[in-house]
């Protein structure tokens, strides 16, 4: 592919901007600058490409760019709770694009494709198409169009691995015989099926890992496309995306105490059937919103542990009122965020930020766990498994070894929960039966609202805000 | 390879606070694949390749626009927190 040096320079600048853009993402203060850098880089790259000598037909480019923009705008304006679905969907789009380009390139070049290029092309198309359907499935599960429960059957792994093996085998055959056009559709089609099968057995709790993994695949397929088209810009952008997705999935797996293969091949749901169902009738202490309010009023240090249940109940803004009301009274309020809280990496931070809770009050698991023993009240809202002390104490528990928030070490634990039903993993939580645990049964939003009202009812002196 | 390494180094240091915006940003960057697709459409070698290319440009472009838009929206929310309450 012949490219003028001028375009090469533009691409170089764009690549540099992309790297800077990610660098600036490392702190909230500079993150928006990072987005601008990315945008400028993107505009430069597209403009540079339009100057490409080989381009003779601008009409369809323009039409496609406009349609893409029109589709993109609503995708950029979804609600914050829907961000995980949107992200999965955009992975699907990205992979779709890569697959289409790969397919077109193959038919343009076949049968004169060098071995190396054919190998890369195979990677591109296989990764692209499995990411496409896999991401669509993930988006469907997150949007709850599809059942969230893992769907499993016997021999599932064999079927899945077999499919992948066939696709790879076809890929190898094509590398050796690039002229075998009739096999190409199979190489696209089989990974498409594999993508569906890959995500079907994965349950809702593992979604953060899966999304990161698909992110990584989408990036890698784009990088492969960069090799096919001999475009350094694409290789760089794809590699950045691929490595970021990879790191995130490693972080997520660690947070769930699962290995990659475990997430991909072991459906979580099966293990718990045996674990659930026992010890139903242990006594729990339940208190009213009024009591909870009076306890909260008399303490100094509160850590709120939000989970996805809070987001489902749309309670973020009530939680923010609670935060305000307590802070005004001089109570030190912090938020403890488990790495897998929410449906994708960092999702909970975004949800709380949307409710205007200052980000310096949000603490990671590692930072806050040491503070729980000095905490007066740990208020758990809509979180379950990430607070389950069985992960620390009970080797027979399916989640044993998973890093958790040590809320059980706080002086008092309050849990807002709709009922005694177990969480995602279907595991009973011993936390609820501890003598210092107070259960607050009810809808998170109304309950927090009631606490806030009761707090306001008592005319306390307005203390200066915490710290 | 180099880019992968740089990416690895840079991203490892990003706090979990920003993981979601990070992912939507890399998503937008990933859509740089639009470049390849544009050339494909532009060169118009066969109708088939131009058709696939057009679809590809649409898909990638929606990622570019949507990705940057939502990343910026998220980050604006982080910005709107109250600096006065910082410890």
């Amino acid at each position: 592919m012949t490219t003028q040096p001028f375009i090469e320079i533009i691409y170089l600048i764009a690549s540099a901007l992309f790297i800077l853009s990610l660098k600036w993402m490392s702190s909230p203060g500079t993150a928006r600058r990072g987005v601008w850098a990315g945008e400028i880089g993107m505009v430069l790259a597209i403009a540079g490409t339009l100057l490409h000598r080989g381009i003779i037909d601008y009409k369809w480019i323009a039409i496609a760019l406009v349609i893409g923009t029109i589709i993109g705008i609503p995708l950029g304006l979804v609600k914050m709770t829907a961000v995980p679905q949107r992200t999965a969907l955009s992975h699907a789009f990205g992979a779709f694009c890569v697959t289409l380009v790969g397919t077109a390139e193959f038919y343009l070049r076949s049968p004169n494709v060098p071995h190396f290029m054919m190998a890369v092309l195979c990677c591109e198309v296989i990764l692209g198409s499995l990411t496409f359907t896999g991401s669509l499935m993930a988006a469907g599960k997150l949007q709850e169009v599809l059942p969230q429960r893992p769907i499993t059957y016997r021999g599932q792994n064999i079927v899945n691995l077999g499919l992948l093996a066939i696709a790879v085998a076809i890929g190898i055959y094509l590398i050796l015989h690039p002229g075998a056009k009739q096999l190409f559709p199979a190489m696209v089609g089989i990974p498409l099926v594999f993508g569906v099968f890959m995500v079907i057995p994965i349950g809702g709790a593992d979604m953060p890992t899966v999304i990161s993994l698909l992110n990584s695949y989408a990036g890698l397929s784009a990088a492969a496309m960069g090799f096919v088209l001999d475009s350094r810009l694409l290789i760089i952008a794809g590699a950045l995306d691929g490595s970021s997705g990879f790191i995130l999935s490693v972080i997520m797996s660690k947070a769930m105490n699962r290995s990659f293969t475990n997430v991909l091949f072991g459906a979580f749901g099966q293990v718990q059937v045996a674990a659930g169902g026992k010890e139903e009738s242990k006594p729990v202490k339940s208190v009213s919103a009024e009591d909870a309010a009076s306890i909260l009023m008399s303490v100094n240090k509160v850590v709120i542990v939000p989970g996805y249940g809070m987001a489902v109940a749309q309670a973020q803004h009530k939680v923010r009122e609670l935060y305000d009301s307590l802070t005004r009274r001089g109570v030190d309020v912090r938020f403890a965020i488990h790495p897998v809280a929410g449906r994708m990496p960092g999702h909970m931070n975004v949800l709380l930020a949307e409710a205007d809770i200052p980000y310096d009050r949000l603490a990671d698991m590692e930072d806050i766990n040491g503070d729980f023993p000095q905490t007066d009240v740990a208020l758990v809202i809509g979180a379950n498994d990430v607070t389950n002390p069985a992960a620390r104490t009970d080797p027979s528990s399916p989640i044993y070894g998973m890093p958790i928030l040590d809320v059980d070490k706080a002086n008092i634990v309050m849990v807002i929960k709709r009922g005694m039903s177990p969480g995602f993993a279907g595991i009973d939580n011993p936390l609820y039966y501890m003598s210092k645990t107070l259960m607050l049964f009810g809808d998170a939003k109304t309950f927090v609202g009631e606490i806030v009202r009761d707090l306001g009812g008592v005319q306390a002196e307005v203390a200066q805000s915490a710290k | 390879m180099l880019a992968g390494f740089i990416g690895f180094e840079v991203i490892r240091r990003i706090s979990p606070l920003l993981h979601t915006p990070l992912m939507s940003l890399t998503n937008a960057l990933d859509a740089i694949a639009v470049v390849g697709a544009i050339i494909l459409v532009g060169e118009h070698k066969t109708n088939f390749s131009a058709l696939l290319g057009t679809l590809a440009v649409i898909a990638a472009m929606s990622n570019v626009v949507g990705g940057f838009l939502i990343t910026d929206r998220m980050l604006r929310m982080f910005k709107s927190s109250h600096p006065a309450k910082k410890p």
Side-chain angles (χ1 to χ4, degrees), chain A residues 173-236:
Chain A
Y173 183 82
L174 276 170
I175 294 171
L176 300 175
H177 310 274
K181 281 189 188 181
Q182 67 280 8
L183 278 177
F184 195 82
M187 198 178 68
V188 181
I190 293 174
L192 284 176
V193 179
F194 176 73
V196 175
F197 283 179
M198 183 176 85
V199 179
I200 277 182
I202 295 172
D206 282 326
M207 276 305 158
T209 322
V210 176
I211 292 190
S212 318
L213 196 63
L214 290 170
N215 185 6
S216 182
Y217 287 167
L220 290 178
S221 62
M225 174 171 156
F227 280 107
V228 174
L229 299 178
D230 193 21
S231 159
R232 234 157 286 154
L233 176 66
L234 256 175
I235 300 175
I236 291 174

Coordinates of all heavy atoms in Angstrom, one line a residue, chain A residues 173-236:
Chain A
Y173 N -5.1 -24.2 7.0 CA -5.2 -24.6 5.7 C -5.1 -23.5 4.7 O -4.5 -23.5 3.7 CB -6.5 -25.4 5.5 CG -6.6 -26.0 4.1 CD1 -6.0 -27.2 3.8 CD2 -7.4 -25.4 3.1 CE1 -6.1 -27.8 2.5 CE2 -7.5 -25.9 1.9 CZ -6.8 -27.1 1.6 OH -6.9 -27.6 0.3
L174 N -5.9 -22.4 5.1 CA -5.9 -21.2 4.2 C -4.5 -20.6 4.1 O -4.2 -20.0 3.1 CB -6.9 -20.2 4.7 CG -8.4 -20.5 4.3 CD1 -9.3 -19.6 5.0 CD2 -8.5 -20.2 2.8
I175 N -3.8 -20.6 5.2 CA -2.4 -20.0 5.2 C -1.6 -20.8 4.1 O -0.9 -20.1 3.4 CB -1.8 -20.1 6.6 CG1 -2.5 -19.3 7.6 CG2 -0.3 -19.7 6.5 CD1 -2.1 -19.4 9.0
L176 N -1.8 -22.1 4.1 CA -1.0 -22.9 3.2 C -1.5 -22.8 1.8 O -0.8 -22.8 0.8 CB -0.9 -24.3 3.6 CG -0.3 -24.5 5.0 CD1 -0.4 -26.0 5.5 CD2 1.2 -24.1 5.0
H177 N -2.8 -22.7 1.7 CA -3.5 -22.6 0.3 C -4.4 -21.4 0.3 O -5.6 -21.5 0.4 CB -4.3 -23.9 0.1 CG -3.6 -25.1 0.3 ND1 -2.8 -25.7 -0.6 CD2 -3.5 -25.9 1.4 CE1 -2.2 -26.8 -0.1 NE2 -2.6 -26.9 1.1
P178 N -3.8 -20.2 0.1 CA -4.6 -19.0 0.1 C -5.6 -18.9 -1.0 O -6.5 -18.0 -0.9 CB -3.6 -17.8 0.0 CG -2.2 -18.5 0.1 CD -2.4 -19.9 -0.2
G179 N -5.6 -19.8 -1.9 CA -6.5 -19.7 -3.0 C -7.9 -20.4 -2.7 O -8.8 -20.2 -3.5
A180 N -7.9 -21.1 -1.6 CA -9.1 -21.9 -1.3 C -10.3 -21.0 -0.8 O -10.7 -21.0 0.4 CB -8.8 -22.9 -0.3
K181 N -10.8 -20.2 -1.7 CA -11.8 -19.2 -1.3 C -13.0 -19.8 -0.7 O -13.6 -19.2 0.2 CB -12.3 -18.4 -2.6 CG -11.3 -17.3 -3.0 CD -11.9 -16.5 -4.1 CE -10.9 -15.5 -4.6 NZ -11.4 -14.6 -5.7
Q182 N -13.4 -21.0 -1.1 CA -14.6 -21.6 -0.6 C -14.6 -21.9 0.9 O -15.6 -22.0 1.5 CB -15.0 -22.8 -1.4 CG -14.1 -24.0 -1.2 CD -12.8 -23.9 -2.1 OE1 -12.5 -22.8 -2.7 NE2 -12.0 -24.9 -2.1
L183 N -13.4 -21.9 1.4 CA -13.3 -22.2 2.9 C -13.4 -21.0 3.7 O -13.7 -21.1 4.9 CB -11.9 -22.9 3.2 CG -11.9 -24.4 2.9 CD1 -10.5 -24.9 3.2 CD2 -12.9 -25.1 3.7
F184 N -13.2 -19.8 3.1 CA -13.2 -18.6 3.9 C -14.5 -18.3 4.7 O -14.4 -18.0 5.9 CB -12.8 -17.4 3.0 CG -12.4 -16.2 3.8 CD1 -11.2 -16.1 4.3 CD2 -13.4 -15.2 4.1 CE1 -10.8 -15.0 5.0 CE2 -13.0 -14.1 4.8 CZ -11.7 -14.0 5.3
P185 N -15.6 -18.5 4.0 CA -16.9 -18.3 4.8 C -16.9 -19.1 6.1 O -17.4 -18.7 7.1 CB -18.0 -18.7 3.8 CG -17.4 -18.5 2.5 CD -15.9 -18.8 2.6
A186 N -16.4 -20.3 6.0 CA -16.4 -21.2 7.2 C -15.6 -20.6 8.3 O -15.9 -20.7 9.5 CB -16.0 -22.6 6.8
M187 N -14.5 -20.0 7.9 CA -13.6 -19.5 8.9 C -14.2 -18.2 9.5 O -13.9 -17.9 10.7 CB -12.2 -19.1 8.3 CG -11.2 -18.9 9.4 SD -9.6 -18.6 8.7 CE -9.8 -16.9 8.1
V188 N -15.1 -17.6 8.9 CA -15.8 -16.5 9.5 C -17.0 -17.0 10.3 O -17.2 -16.6 11.4 CB -16.4 -15.5 8.4 CG1 -17.1 -14.3 9.1 CG2 -15.2 -15.0 7.6
G189 N -17.7 -18.0 9.7 CA -18.9 -18.5 10.3 C -18.7 -19.2 11.6 O -19.4 -19.0 12.6
I190 N -17.7 -20.1 11.7 CA -17.5 -20.9 12.9 C -17.2 -20.1 14.1 O -17.8 -20.3 15.2 CB -16.5 -22.0 12.6 CG1 -17.0 -23.0 11.6 CG2 -16.1 -22.8 13.9 CD1 -16.1 -24.1 11.2
P191 N -16.3 -19.1 14.0 CA -16.1 -18.3 15.2 C -17.3 -17.5 15.6 O -17.5 -17.2 16.8 CB -14.9 -17.3 14.8 CG -14.3 -18.0 13.7 CD -15.3 -18.8 13.0
L192 N -18.2 -17.1 14.6 CA -19.4 -16.5 15.0 C -20.2 -17.3 15.9 O -20.7 -16.9 16.9 CB -20.2 -16.2 13.7 CG -19.8 -15.0 12.8 CD1 -20.6 -14.9 11.6 CD2 -19.8 -13.7 13.6
V193 N -20.3 -18.6 15.6 CA -21.0 -19.5 16.4 C -20.3 -19.7 17.8 O -20.9 -19.7 18.8 CB -21.2 -20.9 15.7 CG1 -21.9 -21.9 16.6 CG2 -21.9 -20.7 14.4
F194 N -19.0 -19.8 17.7 CA -18.2 -20.0 18.9 C -18.4 -18.8 19.8 O -18.5 -19.0 21.1 CB -16.7 -20.1 18.5 CG -15.8 -20.2 19.7 CD1 -15.8 -21.3 20.5 CD2 -15.0 -19.1 20.1 CE1 -15.0 -21.4 21.6 CE2 -14.2 -19.1 21.2 CZ -14.2 -20.3 22.0
G195 N -18.5 -17.6 19.3 CA -18.7 -16.4 20.1 C -20.0 -16.5 21.0 O -20.0 -16.2 22.1
V196 N -21.0 -17.0 20.3 CA -22.3 -17.2 21.0 C -22.1 -18.2 22.1 O -22.4 -18.0 23.3 CB -23.4 -17.7 20.1 CG1 -24.7 -18.0 20.8 CG2 -23.6 -16.6 19.0
F197 N -21.5 -19.4 21.8 CA -21.4 -20.5 22.8 C -20.5 -20.1 23.9 O -20.6 -20.6 25.0 CB -20.8 -21.7 22.1 CG -21.9 -22.4 21.3 CD1 -21.6 -23.6 20.6 CD2 -23.2 -22.0 21.2 CE1 -22.6 -24.2 19.8 CE2 -24.2 -22.6 20.5 CZ -23.8 -23.8 19.8
M198 N -19.5 -19.2 23.6 CA -18.5 -18.8 24.6 C -19.2 -18.0 25.7 O -18.8 -18.2 26.9 CB -17.4 -18.0 24.0 CG -16.3 -17.6 24.9 SD -15.0 -16.7 24.0 CE -15.6 -15.1 24.1
V199 N -20.1 -17.2 25.4 CA -20.7 -16.3 26.4 C -21.9 -16.9 27.0 O -22.2 -16.6 28.2 CB -21.0 -14.9 25.8 CG1 -21.6 -14.0 26.8 CG2 -19.7 -14.3 25.2
I200 N -22.6 -17.9 26.4 CA -23.8 -18.5 27.0 C -23.5 -19.0 28.4 O -24.3 -18.8 29.3 CB -24.3 -19.6 26.0 CG1 -25.2 -19.0 24.9 CG2 -25.1 -20.6 26.8 CD1 -25.8 -20.0 24.0
P201 N -22.4 -19.7 28.6 CA -22.3 -20.3 30.0 C -21.8 -19.3 31.0 O -21.6 -19.7 32.2 CB -21.3 -21.4 29.8 CG -20.5 -21.0 28.6 CD -21.4 -20.2 27.7
I202 N -21.6 -18.1 30.7 CA -21.1 -17.1 31.6 C -22.2 -16.4 32.3 O -23.0 -15.8 31.7 CB -20.1 -16.2 30.9 CG1 -18.9 -17.1 30.4 CG2 -19.6 -15.1 31.9 CD1 -17.9 -16.3 29.6
G203 N -22.1 -16.3 33.6 CA -23.2 -15.7 34.4 C -23.0 -14.2 34.6 O -21.9 -13.7 34.3
G204 N -24.0 -13.5 35.1 CA -23.9 -12.1 35.2 C -22.8 -11.6 36.1 O -22.2 -10.6 35.8
A205 N -22.4 -12.4 37.1 CA -21.4 -11.9 38.0 C -20.0 -11.9 37.3 O -19.1 -11.1 37.7 CB -21.3 -12.8 39.2
D206 N -19.8 -12.6 36.3 CA -18.6 -12.7 35.6 C -18.5 -11.7 34.5 O -17.5 -11.6 33.8 CB -18.3 -14.1 35.1 CG -17.8 -15.0 36.2 OD1 -17.1 -14.5 37.1 OD2 -18.1 -16.2 36.1
M207 N -19.5 -10.9 34.3 CA -19.6 -10.0 33.1 C -18.4 -9.0 33.1 O -17.9 -8.7 32.0 CB -20.9 -9.2 33.1 CG -22.0 -10.0 32.4 SD -21.4 -10.5 30.8 CE -22.5 -11.8 30.5
P208 N -18.0 -8.4 34.2 CA -16.8 -7.5 34.2 C -15.6 -8.2 33.5 O -15.0 -7.5 32.6 CB -16.5 -7.2 35.6 CG -17.8 -7.4 36.3 CD -18.5 -8.5 35.6
T209 N -15.3 -9.4 33.8 CA -14.2 -10.1 33.2 C -14.4 -10.3 31.7 O -13.5 -10.1 30.9 CB -14.0 -11.4 33.9 OG1 -14.2 -11.3 35.3 CG2 -12.6 -11.9 33.7
V210 N -15.6 -10.7 31.4 CA -15.9 -11.0 30.0 C -15.8 -9.8 29.1 O -15.2 -9.8 28.0 CB -17.3 -11.7 29.8 CG1 -17.6 -11.9 28.4 CG2 -17.3 -12.9 30.6
I211 N -16.3 -8.7 29.6 CA -16.3 -7.5 28.8 C -14.8 -7.0 28.6 O -14.4 -6.7 27.5 CB -17.1 -6.3 29.5 CG1 -18.5 -6.7 29.5 CG2 -16.8 -5.0 28.9 CD1 -19.4 -5.5 30.0
S212 N -14.0 -7.1 29.7 CA -12.6 -6.8 29.5 C -11.9 -7.7 28.5 O -11.2 -7.2 27.7 CB -11.9 -6.9 30.8 OG -12.6 -6.4 31.9
L213 N -12.3 -8.9 28.6 CA -11.7 -9.9 27.7 C -12.0 -9.6 26.2 O -11.2 -9.6 25.3 CB -12.1 -11.3 28.0 CG -11.3 -12.4 27.5 CD1 -9.8 -12.4 28.0 CD2 -11.9 -13.8 27.8
L214 N -13.3 -9.3 26.0 CA -13.8 -9.0 24.6 C -13.1 -7.7 24.2 O -12.8 -7.6 23.0 CB -15.3 -8.9 24.6 CG -16.0 -10.2 24.8 CD1 -17.5 -10.0 25.0 CD2 -15.8 -11.1 23.6
N215 N -13.0 -6.8 25.1 CA -12.3 -5.6 24.8 C -10.9 -5.9 24.2 O -10.4 -5.4 23.2 CB -12.2 -4.7 26.1 CG -11.6 -3.4 25.8 OD1 -11.3 -3.0 24.7 ND2 -11.3 -2.7 26.9
S216 N -10.2 -6.8 24.9 CA -8.9 -7.2 24.5 C -8.9 -7.8 23.1 O -8.1 -7.5 22.3 CB -8.3 -8.2 25.6 OG -7.0 -8.5 25.3
Y217 N -9.8 -8.7 22.9 CA -9.9 -9.4 21.6 C -10.2 -8.4 20.5 O -9.6 -8.4 19.4 CB -11.1 -10.4 21.6 CG -10.8 -11.6 22.4 CD1 -11.9 -12.5 22.6 CD2 -9.5 -12.0 22.8 CE1 -11.6 -13.7 23.3 CE2 -9.3 -13.1 23.5 CZ -10.4 -14.0 23.8 OH -10.2 -15.1 24.5
A218 N -11.1 -7.4 20.8 CA -11.4 -6.4 19.7 C -10.1 -5.6 19.4 O -9.8 -5.4 18.2 CB -12.5 -5.5 20.2
G219 N -9.3 -5.3 20.4 CA -8.1 -4.6 20.2 C -7.1 -5.4 19.4 O -6.5 -4.9 18.4
L220 N -7.0 -6.7 19.8 CA -6.0 -7.5 19.1 C -6.4 -7.7 17.6 O -5.5 -7.7 16.7 CB -5.9 -8.9 19.8 CG -5.2 -8.9 21.1 CD1 -5.2 -10.2 21.8 CD2 -3.8 -8.3 21.0
S221 N -7.7 -7.9 17.4 CA -8.1 -8.1 16.0 C -7.8 -6.8 15.2 O -7.4 -6.9 14.0 CB -9.6 -8.5 15.9 OG -10.4 -7.5 16.4
A222 N -8.0 -5.6 15.8 CA -7.6 -4.4 15.1 C -6.1 -4.3 14.8 O -5.7 -3.9 13.8 CB -8.1 -3.2 15.9
A223 N -5.3 -4.8 15.8 CA -3.9 -4.7 15.6 C -3.5 -5.7 14.5 O -2.7 -5.3 13.6 CB -3.2 -5.2 16.9
A224 N -4.2 -6.8 14.4 CA -3.9 -7.8 13.3 C -4.2 -7.1 12.0 O -3.5 -7.2 11.0 CB -4.7 -9.0 13.5
M225 N -5.4 -6.4 12.0 CA -5.8 -5.7 10.8 C -4.7 -4.7 10.4 O -4.4 -4.5 9.2 CB -7.1 -5.0 11.0 CG -7.5 -4.1 9.9 SD -9.2 -3.6 10.3 CE -9.3 -2.1 9.3
G226 N -4.1 -4.1 11.4 CA -3.0 -3.1 11.1 C -1.8 -3.8 10.4 O -1.3 -3.2 9.5
F227 N -1.5 -5.0 10.7 CA -0.5 -5.8 10.0 C -0.9 -6.0 8.6 O -0.1 -5.9 7.7 CB -0.1 -7.1 10.8 CG 0.7 -6.9 12.0 CD1 0.2 -7.0 13.2 CD2 2.1 -6.6 11.8 CE1 1.1 -6.8 14.3 CE2 2.9 -6.4 12.9 CZ 2.4 -6.5 14.2
V228 N -2.1 -6.4 8.4 CA -2.6 -6.8 7.1 C -2.5 -5.5 6.2 O -2.0 -5.6 5.0 CB -4.1 -7.3 7.1 CG1 -4.6 -7.4 5.7 CG2 -4.2 -8.6 7.9
L229 N -2.9 -4.4 6.7 CA -2.9 -3.2 5.9 C -1.6 -2.4 6.0 O -1.5 -1.4 5.4 CB -4.0 -2.2 6.4 CG -5.5 -2.8 6.3 CD1 -6.5 -1.8 6.8 CD2 -5.8 -3.1 4.8
D230 N -0.7 -3.0 6.8 CA 0.6 -2.3 6.9 C 0.4 -0.9 7.4 O 1.0 0.0 6.9 CB 1.4 -2.3 5.6 CG 2.8 -2.0 5.9 OD1 3.3 -2.1 7.0 OD2 3.5 -1.5 4.9
S231 N -0.4 -0.8 8.5 CA -0.6 0.6 9.0 C -0.2 0.6 10.5 O -0.7 -0.1 11.3 CB -2.1 0.9 8.9 OG -2.4 1.9 9.9
R232 N 0.9 1.4 10.7 CA 1.4 1.4 12.1 C 0.4 2.0 13.1 O 0.3 1.6 14.2 CB 2.7 2.3 12.1 CG 3.9 1.5 12.6 CD 5.2 2.1 12.1 NE 5.4 1.7 10.8 CZ 6.2 2.5 9.9 NH1 6.7 3.6 10.3 NH2 6.4 2.1 8.7
L233 N -0.3 3.0 12.6 CA -1.3 3.6 13.4 C -2.3 2.6 14.0 O -2.6 2.6 15.2 CB -2.1 4.7 12.6 CG -3.2 5.4 13.3 CD1 -2.7 6.2 14.4 CD2 -3.9 6.3 12.2
L234 N -2.8 1.7 13.1 CA -3.8 0.7 13.5 C -3.1 -0.3 14.5 O -3.7 -0.7 15.5 CB -4.2 -0.1 12.3 CG -5.6 0.3 11.8 CD1 -5.9 -0.4 10.5 CD2 -6.6 -0.1 12.9
I235 N -1.9 -0.7 14.2 CA -1.2 -1.6 15.1 C -1.1 -1.0 16.5 O -1.4 -1.6 17.5 CB 0.2 -2.0 14.6 CG1 0.1 -2.6 13.2 CG2 0.9 -2.9 15.5 CD1 1.4 -2.9 12.5
I236 N -0.7 0.3 16.5 CA -0.5 0.9 17.8 C -1.8 1.0 18.6 O -2.0 0.6 19.7 CB 0.1 2.3 17.7 CG1 1.6 2.1 17.2 CG2 0.1 3.1 19.0 CD1 2.3 3.4 16.9

